[in-house]
Short mmCIF file of all heavy atoms in Angstrom, two decimals:
data_model
loop_
_atom_site.label_atom_id
_atom_site.label_comp_id
_atom_site.label_asym_id
_atom_site.label_seq_id
_atom_site.Cartn_x
_atom_site.Cartn_y
_atom_site.Cartn_z
N LEU A 1 -23.54 -10.29 -21.73
CA LEU A 1 -23.45 -11.56 -22.45
C LEU A 1 -23.39 -11.28 -23.95
O LEU A 1 -24.24 -10.56 -24.48
CB LEU A 1 -24.65 -12.45 -22.15
CG LEU A 1 -24.90 -12.84 -20.69
CD1 LEU A 1 -25.99 -13.90 -20.62
CD2 LEU A 1 -23.63 -13.30 -20.00
N VAL A 2 -22.40 -11.86 -24.61
CA VAL A 2 -22.22 -11.65 -26.04
C VAL A 2 -22.28 -13.01 -26.74
O VAL A 2 -21.32 -13.79 -26.70
CB VAL A 2 -20.87 -10.95 -26.34
CG1 VAL A 2 -20.74 -10.70 -27.84
CG2 VAL A 2 -20.74 -9.66 -25.55
N PHE A 3 -23.43 -13.31 -27.35
CA PHE A 3 -23.57 -14.55 -28.10
C PHE A 3 -22.91 -14.38 -29.47
O PHE A 3 -23.33 -13.53 -30.27
CB PHE A 3 -25.05 -14.90 -28.29
CG PHE A 3 -25.70 -15.51 -27.08
CD1 PHE A 3 -26.27 -14.70 -26.10
CD2 PHE A 3 -25.74 -16.88 -26.91
CE1 PHE A 3 -26.88 -15.25 -24.98
CE2 PHE A 3 -26.34 -17.45 -25.80
CZ PHE A 3 -26.91 -16.64 -24.83
N HIS A 4 -21.89 -15.18 -29.73
CA HIS A 4 -21.24 -15.14 -31.04
C HIS A 4 -22.23 -15.65 -32.09
O HIS A 4 -22.99 -16.60 -31.84
CB HIS A 4 -20.00 -16.03 -31.02
CG HIS A 4 -19.06 -15.80 -32.15
ND1 HIS A 4 -19.34 -16.17 -33.44
CD2 HIS A 4 -17.81 -15.24 -32.18
CE1 HIS A 4 -18.34 -15.86 -34.23
NE2 HIS A 4 -17.39 -15.28 -33.49
N GLU A 5 -22.24 -15.04 -33.23
CA GLU A 5 -23.16 -15.44 -34.30
C GLU A 5 -23.00 -16.91 -34.66
O GLU A 5 -23.94 -17.58 -35.11
CB GLU A 5 -22.93 -14.55 -35.53
CG GLU A 5 -23.93 -14.76 -36.64
CD GLU A 5 -25.36 -14.39 -36.26
OE1 GLU A 5 -25.54 -13.60 -35.31
OE2 GLU A 5 -26.29 -14.90 -36.92
N GLN A 6 -21.82 -17.45 -34.44
CA GLN A 6 -21.56 -18.86 -34.75
C GLN A 6 -22.44 -19.80 -33.94
O GLN A 6 -22.68 -20.94 -34.35
CB GLN A 6 -20.07 -19.16 -34.51
CG GLN A 6 -19.66 -20.60 -34.67
CD GLN A 6 -19.69 -21.36 -33.34
OE1 GLN A 6 -19.48 -20.78 -32.28
NE2 GLN A 6 -19.94 -22.65 -33.41
N CYS A 7 -22.94 -19.36 -32.78
CA CYS A 7 -23.83 -20.20 -31.96
C CYS A 7 -25.03 -20.69 -32.76
O CYS A 7 -25.61 -21.74 -32.43
CB CYS A 7 -24.32 -19.43 -30.74
SG CYS A 7 -23.08 -19.08 -29.49
N PHE A 8 -25.43 -19.95 -33.77
CA PHE A 8 -26.66 -20.24 -34.50
C PHE A 8 -26.41 -20.86 -35.88
O PHE A 8 -27.33 -21.09 -36.64
CB PHE A 8 -27.48 -18.95 -34.64
CG PHE A 8 -27.55 -18.16 -33.36
CD1 PHE A 8 -26.95 -16.91 -33.26
CD2 PHE A 8 -28.16 -18.69 -32.23
CE1 PHE A 8 -26.99 -16.19 -32.08
CE2 PHE A 8 -28.20 -17.98 -31.04
CZ PHE A 8 -27.61 -16.73 -30.96
N ALA A 9 -25.14 -21.14 -36.18
CA ALA A 9 -24.81 -21.77 -37.45
C ALA A 9 -25.15 -23.25 -37.40
O ALA A 9 -25.06 -23.89 -36.34
CB ALA A 9 -23.32 -21.58 -37.76
N ILE A 10 -25.52 -23.80 -38.53
CA ILE A 10 -25.87 -25.22 -38.60
C ILE A 10 -25.21 -25.83 -39.83
O ILE A 10 -25.39 -25.35 -40.95
CB ILE A 10 -27.39 -25.44 -38.68
CG1 ILE A 10 -28.10 -24.87 -37.44
CG2 ILE A 10 -27.71 -26.92 -38.83
CD1 ILE A 10 -29.61 -24.91 -37.52
N GLU A 11 -24.44 -26.88 -39.61
CA GLU A 11 -23.90 -27.69 -40.70
C GLU A 11 -23.97 -29.14 -40.28
O GLU A 11 -23.13 -29.62 -39.52
CB GLU A 11 -22.47 -27.29 -41.05
CG GLU A 11 -21.93 -28.11 -42.21
CD GLU A 11 -20.75 -27.47 -42.89
OE1 GLU A 11 -20.70 -26.23 -42.97
OE2 GLU A 11 -19.87 -28.22 -43.34
N GLY A 12 -25.02 -29.82 -40.74
CA GLY A 12 -25.27 -31.17 -40.26
C GLY A 12 -25.53 -31.14 -38.75
O GLY A 12 -26.32 -30.34 -38.25
N HIS A 13 -24.83 -32.00 -38.05
CA HIS A 13 -24.97 -32.08 -36.60
C HIS A 13 -24.38 -30.87 -35.88
O HIS A 13 -24.79 -30.54 -34.77
CB HIS A 13 -24.26 -33.36 -36.12
CG HIS A 13 -24.13 -33.50 -34.65
ND1 HIS A 13 -25.11 -34.03 -33.85
CD2 HIS A 13 -23.10 -33.15 -33.80
CE1 HIS A 13 -24.70 -34.03 -32.58
NE2 HIS A 13 -23.49 -33.50 -32.53
N PHE A 14 -23.43 -30.20 -36.51
CA PHE A 14 -22.56 -29.25 -35.81
C PHE A 14 -23.02 -27.80 -35.92
O PHE A 14 -23.80 -27.44 -36.81
CB PHE A 14 -21.13 -29.36 -36.37
CG PHE A 14 -20.57 -30.75 -36.32
CD1 PHE A 14 -20.42 -31.49 -37.48
CD2 PHE A 14 -20.21 -31.31 -35.11
CE1 PHE A 14 -19.90 -32.78 -37.44
CE2 PHE A 14 -19.68 -32.60 -35.06
CZ PHE A 14 -19.53 -33.34 -36.22
N ALA A 15 -22.48 -26.98 -35.04
CA ALA A 15 -22.72 -25.53 -35.08
C ALA A 15 -21.72 -24.91 -36.07
O ALA A 15 -20.86 -24.12 -35.70
CB ALA A 15 -22.56 -24.93 -33.70
N GLY A 16 -21.84 -25.32 -37.32
CA GLY A 16 -20.89 -24.90 -38.34
C GLY A 16 -19.79 -25.93 -38.51
O GLY A 16 -19.60 -26.82 -37.67
N ALA A 17 -19.05 -25.78 -39.59
CA ALA A 17 -17.91 -26.67 -39.86
C ALA A 17 -16.84 -26.51 -38.80
O ALA A 17 -16.81 -25.53 -38.04
CB ALA A 17 -17.34 -26.36 -41.24
N ASP A 18 -15.93 -27.48 -38.74
CA ASP A 18 -14.85 -27.43 -37.75
C ASP A 18 -14.12 -26.10 -37.78
O ASP A 18 -13.82 -25.51 -36.73
CB ASP A 18 -13.84 -28.56 -38.01
CG ASP A 18 -14.39 -29.94 -37.70
OD1 ASP A 18 -15.53 -30.04 -37.20
OD2 ASP A 18 -13.66 -30.92 -37.96
N ALA A 19 -13.81 -25.62 -38.98
CA ALA A 19 -13.05 -24.37 -39.09
C ALA A 19 -13.80 -23.19 -38.50
O ALA A 19 -13.20 -22.31 -37.87
CB ALA A 19 -12.71 -24.11 -40.56
N LEU A 20 -15.11 -23.16 -38.69
CA LEU A 20 -15.91 -22.06 -38.15
C LEU A 20 -15.99 -22.13 -36.63
O LEU A 20 -15.84 -21.11 -35.94
CB LEU A 20 -17.32 -22.10 -38.74
CG LEU A 20 -18.27 -21.00 -38.24
CD1 LEU A 20 -17.78 -19.62 -38.66
CD2 LEU A 20 -19.70 -21.25 -38.76
N ARG A 21 -16.19 -23.34 -36.09
CA ARG A 21 -16.27 -23.49 -34.64
C ARG A 21 -14.94 -23.15 -33.99
O ARG A 21 -14.89 -22.51 -32.93
CB ARG A 21 -16.71 -24.92 -34.27
CG ARG A 21 -18.07 -25.28 -34.83
CD ARG A 21 -18.72 -26.49 -34.19
NE ARG A 21 -17.82 -27.59 -33.91
CZ ARG A 21 -17.38 -28.48 -34.80
NH1 ARG A 21 -17.75 -28.38 -36.08
NH2 ARG A 21 -16.58 -29.46 -34.45
N LEU A 22 -13.85 -23.57 -34.62
CA LEU A 22 -12.52 -23.26 -34.10
C LEU A 22 -12.27 -21.76 -34.13
O LEU A 22 -11.79 -21.17 -33.14
CB LEU A 22 -11.46 -23.98 -34.93
CG LEU A 22 -10.00 -23.65 -34.62
CD1 LEU A 22 -9.64 -24.03 -33.19
CD2 LEU A 22 -9.07 -24.35 -35.61
N ALA A 23 -12.62 -21.11 -35.23
CA ALA A 23 -12.38 -19.67 -35.35
C ALA A 23 -13.17 -18.90 -34.30
O ALA A 23 -12.66 -17.94 -33.70
CB ALA A 23 -12.76 -19.20 -36.76
N ALA A 24 -14.41 -19.30 -34.05
CA ALA A 24 -15.23 -18.60 -33.06
C ALA A 24 -14.68 -18.79 -31.66
O ALA A 24 -14.62 -17.83 -30.87
CB ALA A 24 -16.67 -19.11 -33.14
N LEU A 25 -14.26 -20.01 -31.33
CA LEU A 25 -13.69 -20.25 -30.01
C LEU A 25 -12.42 -19.44 -29.81
O LEU A 25 -12.21 -18.82 -28.75
CB LEU A 25 -13.40 -21.75 -29.84
CG LEU A 25 -12.70 -22.20 -28.56
CD1 LEU A 25 -13.45 -21.72 -27.32
CD2 LEU A 25 -12.55 -23.72 -28.54
N LEU A 26 -11.57 -19.39 -30.82
CA LEU A 26 -10.34 -18.61 -30.71
C LEU A 26 -10.62 -17.11 -30.63
O LEU A 26 -9.96 -16.38 -29.88
CB LEU A 26 -9.43 -18.91 -31.90
CG LEU A 26 -8.75 -20.28 -31.88
CD1 LEU A 26 -8.06 -20.55 -33.21
CD2 LEU A 26 -7.76 -20.39 -30.72
N GLU A 27 -11.60 -16.65 -31.37
CA GLU A 27 -11.96 -15.23 -31.32
C GLU A 27 -12.40 -14.84 -29.92
O GLU A 27 -11.99 -13.80 -29.39
CB GLU A 27 -13.07 -14.94 -32.33
CG GLU A 27 -13.47 -13.49 -32.41
CD GLU A 27 -14.57 -13.24 -33.42
OE1 GLU A 27 -14.71 -14.04 -34.36
OE2 GLU A 27 -15.30 -12.24 -33.25
N CYS A 28 -13.23 -15.69 -29.32
CA CYS A 28 -13.70 -15.41 -27.95
C CYS A 28 -12.55 -15.50 -26.95
O CYS A 28 -12.40 -14.64 -26.08
CB CYS A 28 -14.80 -16.38 -27.57
SG CYS A 28 -16.33 -16.19 -28.52
N ALA A 29 -11.74 -16.54 -27.07
CA ALA A 29 -10.65 -16.76 -26.11
C ALA A 29 -9.60 -15.67 -26.18
O ALA A 29 -9.05 -15.25 -25.15
CB ALA A 29 -10.01 -18.12 -26.35
N ASN A 30 -9.31 -15.20 -27.37
CA ASN A 30 -8.22 -14.23 -27.56
C ASN A 30 -8.69 -12.78 -27.55
O ASN A 30 -7.90 -11.87 -27.80
CB ASN A 30 -7.50 -14.53 -28.88
CG ASN A 30 -6.73 -15.84 -28.82
OD1 ASN A 30 -6.23 -16.24 -27.77
ND2 ASN A 30 -6.63 -16.53 -29.96
N ASP A 31 -9.95 -12.56 -27.21
CA ASP A 31 -10.50 -11.21 -27.11
C ASP A 31 -10.19 -10.64 -25.73
O ASP A 31 -10.73 -11.11 -24.72
CB ASP A 31 -12.01 -11.25 -27.34
CG ASP A 31 -12.65 -9.87 -27.31
OD1 ASP A 31 -11.97 -8.89 -26.93
OD2 ASP A 31 -13.84 -9.76 -27.65
N PRO A 32 -9.32 -9.64 -25.63
CA PRO A 32 -8.96 -9.11 -24.30
C PRO A 32 -10.10 -8.40 -23.59
O PRO A 32 -10.01 -8.16 -22.38
CB PRO A 32 -7.82 -8.14 -24.62
CG PRO A 32 -7.99 -7.78 -26.05
CD PRO A 32 -8.59 -8.97 -26.72
N SER A 33 -11.18 -8.07 -24.30
CA SER A 33 -12.30 -7.38 -23.66
C SER A 33 -13.23 -8.34 -22.93
O SER A 33 -14.12 -7.91 -22.20
CB SER A 33 -13.10 -6.58 -24.69
OG SER A 33 -13.85 -7.44 -25.54
N CYS A 34 -13.06 -9.65 -23.12
CA CYS A 34 -13.92 -10.65 -22.48
C CYS A 34 -13.19 -11.28 -21.29
O CYS A 34 -12.02 -11.62 -21.39
CB CYS A 34 -14.31 -11.74 -23.48
SG CYS A 34 -15.30 -11.14 -24.85
N GLU A 35 -13.92 -11.46 -20.22
CA GLU A 35 -13.34 -12.06 -19.01
C GLU A 35 -13.59 -13.55 -18.91
O GLU A 35 -12.97 -14.23 -18.09
CB GLU A 35 -13.88 -11.35 -17.77
CG GLU A 35 -13.50 -9.87 -17.70
CD GLU A 35 -14.03 -9.20 -16.45
OE1 GLU A 35 -14.36 -9.91 -15.48
OE2 GLU A 35 -14.12 -7.96 -16.45
N ALA A 36 -14.54 -14.05 -19.69
CA ALA A 36 -14.88 -15.47 -19.63
C ALA A 36 -15.42 -15.92 -20.98
O ALA A 36 -15.97 -15.12 -21.75
CB ALA A 36 -15.92 -15.72 -18.54
N VAL A 37 -15.26 -17.21 -21.24
CA VAL A 37 -15.84 -17.85 -22.42
C VAL A 37 -16.78 -18.94 -21.92
O VAL A 37 -16.39 -19.82 -21.15
CB VAL A 37 -14.76 -18.47 -23.34
CG1 VAL A 37 -15.41 -19.18 -24.52
CG2 VAL A 37 -13.80 -17.40 -23.82
N TRP A 38 -18.03 -18.86 -22.36
CA TRP A 38 -19.07 -19.77 -21.91
C TRP A 38 -19.52 -20.60 -23.11
O TRP A 38 -19.91 -20.05 -24.14
CB TRP A 38 -20.24 -18.96 -21.37
CG TRP A 38 -21.19 -19.66 -20.45
CD1 TRP A 38 -21.08 -20.91 -19.93
CD2 TRP A 38 -22.40 -19.11 -19.92
NE1 TRP A 38 -22.14 -21.18 -19.10
CE2 TRP A 38 -22.97 -20.09 -19.09
CE3 TRP A 38 -23.05 -17.88 -20.08
CZ2 TRP A 38 -24.17 -19.88 -18.41
CZ3 TRP A 38 -24.25 -17.67 -19.41
CH2 TRP A 38 -24.80 -18.66 -18.58
N PHE A 39 -19.42 -21.93 -23.01
CA PHE A 39 -19.87 -22.80 -24.08
C PHE A 39 -21.39 -22.88 -24.04
O PHE A 39 -21.97 -23.14 -22.98
CB PHE A 39 -19.27 -24.20 -23.95
CG PHE A 39 -17.78 -24.21 -23.81
CD1 PHE A 39 -17.13 -25.17 -23.04
CD2 PHE A 39 -16.99 -23.25 -24.44
CE1 PHE A 39 -15.76 -25.18 -22.90
CE2 PHE A 39 -15.61 -23.25 -24.31
CZ PHE A 39 -14.99 -24.22 -23.53
N VAL A 40 -22.04 -22.69 -25.17
CA VAL A 40 -23.48 -22.55 -25.18
C VAL A 40 -24.21 -23.87 -24.90
O VAL A 40 -25.25 -23.89 -24.27
CB VAL A 40 -23.96 -21.91 -26.50
CG1 VAL A 40 -23.97 -22.91 -27.65
CG2 VAL A 40 -25.31 -21.25 -26.34
N ARG A 41 -23.62 -24.99 -25.37
CA ARG A 41 -24.21 -26.30 -25.12
C ARG A 41 -23.21 -27.39 -25.51
O ARG A 41 -22.16 -27.11 -26.05
CB ARG A 41 -25.52 -26.49 -25.89
CG ARG A 41 -25.40 -26.41 -27.39
CD ARG A 41 -26.70 -26.77 -28.08
NE ARG A 41 -27.14 -28.13 -27.73
CZ ARG A 41 -28.10 -28.77 -28.37
NH1 ARG A 41 -28.74 -28.20 -29.38
NH2 ARG A 41 -28.44 -30.00 -28.03
N GLY A 42 -23.57 -28.64 -25.21
CA GLY A 42 -22.72 -29.77 -25.57
C GLY A 42 -23.20 -30.43 -26.84
O GLY A 42 -23.48 -29.77 -27.82
N GLY A 43 -23.32 -31.75 -26.80
CA GLY A 43 -23.72 -32.52 -27.97
C GLY A 43 -22.58 -33.39 -28.42
O GLY A 43 -22.28 -34.41 -27.80
N TYR A 44 -21.92 -33.01 -29.49
CA TYR A 44 -20.71 -33.69 -29.95
C TYR A 44 -20.00 -32.77 -30.93
O TYR A 44 -20.64 -32.09 -31.74
CB TYR A 44 -21.00 -35.02 -30.65
CG TYR A 44 -19.77 -35.59 -31.31
CD1 TYR A 44 -18.75 -36.14 -30.53
CD2 TYR A 44 -19.59 -35.52 -32.68
CE1 TYR A 44 -17.58 -36.61 -31.12
CE2 TYR A 44 -18.44 -35.99 -33.28
CZ TYR A 44 -17.43 -36.54 -32.49
OH TYR A 44 -16.28 -36.99 -33.08
N GLY A 45 -18.67 -32.76 -30.88
CA GLY A 45 -17.89 -32.03 -31.86
C GLY A 45 -16.71 -31.27 -31.31
O GLY A 45 -15.78 -30.94 -32.04
N ALA A 46 -16.71 -30.98 -29.99
CA ALA A 46 -15.62 -30.19 -29.42
C ALA A 46 -14.28 -30.89 -29.53
O ALA A 46 -13.23 -30.24 -29.63
CB ALA A 46 -15.93 -29.84 -27.96
N ASN A 47 -14.28 -32.22 -29.49
CA ASN A 47 -13.02 -32.97 -29.58
C ASN A 47 -12.30 -32.72 -30.91
O ASN A 47 -11.08 -32.84 -31.00
CB ASN A 47 -13.28 -34.46 -29.42
CG ASN A 47 -14.21 -35.02 -30.48
OD1 ASN A 47 -15.31 -34.49 -30.66
ND2 ASN A 47 -13.81 -36.06 -31.17
N ARG A 48 -13.04 -32.35 -31.95
CA ARG A 48 -12.46 -32.16 -33.27
C ARG A 48 -11.64 -30.88 -33.38
O ARG A 48 -10.82 -30.74 -34.29
CB ARG A 48 -13.58 -32.15 -34.33
CG ARG A 48 -14.34 -33.47 -34.41
CD ARG A 48 -15.64 -33.32 -35.19
NE ARG A 48 -15.39 -33.00 -36.59
CZ ARG A 48 -15.52 -33.87 -37.60
NH1 ARG A 48 -15.89 -35.12 -37.37
NH2 ARG A 48 -15.30 -33.49 -38.84
#
């Protein structure tokens, strides 16, 4: 299990600004060494 450092970022309600959350998701998704991407939790913000 590899927790991206972005999981612990805080900007208001969100786990970092939109750009940071997007970059982390893309980094995980486009990493050929990972077989799965697991969202750490819900709340609100993924739609953005």
Side-chain angles (χ1 to χ4, degrees):
L1 302 189
V2 182
F3 282 88
H4 196 289
E5 187 64 22
Q6 175 266 330
C7 290
F8 316 114
I10 299 174
E11 182 160 325
H13 171 86
F14 305 108
D18 290 356
L20 179 64
R21 300 196 320 281
L22 174 62
L25 176 55
L26 287 171
E27 183 180 336
C28 293
N30 292 328
D31 182 350
S33 72
C34 296
E35 297 181 19
V37 178
W38 200 7
F39 308 146
V40 77
R41 61 173 301 192
Y44 171 73
N47 60 306
R48 297 166 65 105

